[in-house]
Amino acid sequence: MAIDVAGYGRALLTRVRGRNGREYAEVTLTVALALTEPAARAQLRRLARGLTTVIDRA
């Protein structure tokens, strides 16, 4: 499944099976970062916090 958010990025969700036979959701994100280094780092910190929330909810 692909989710596009114009101007911001894209998420790809793929269902995969591990060697142990268990199935997982694999998530690949492409996110547009700010042009300045401090702002881009802040975005990455927020993204990391948000991903923790997503994993907890799953």
Side-chain angles (χ1 to χ4, degrees), residues 6-26:
Y8 293 101
R10 180 178 199 176
L12 294 173
L13 303 159
T14 307
R15 187 174 179 170
V16 296
R17 181 171 294 138
R19 288 184 179 185
N20 61 1
R22 184 171 182 175
E23 292 191 346
Y24 297 89
E26 185 174 279

Side-chain angles (χ1 to χ4, degrees), residues 4-10 30-33 43:
D4 287 303
V5 181
Y8 293 101
R10 180 178 199 176
T30 303
V31 178
L33 294 176
Q43 283 177 292

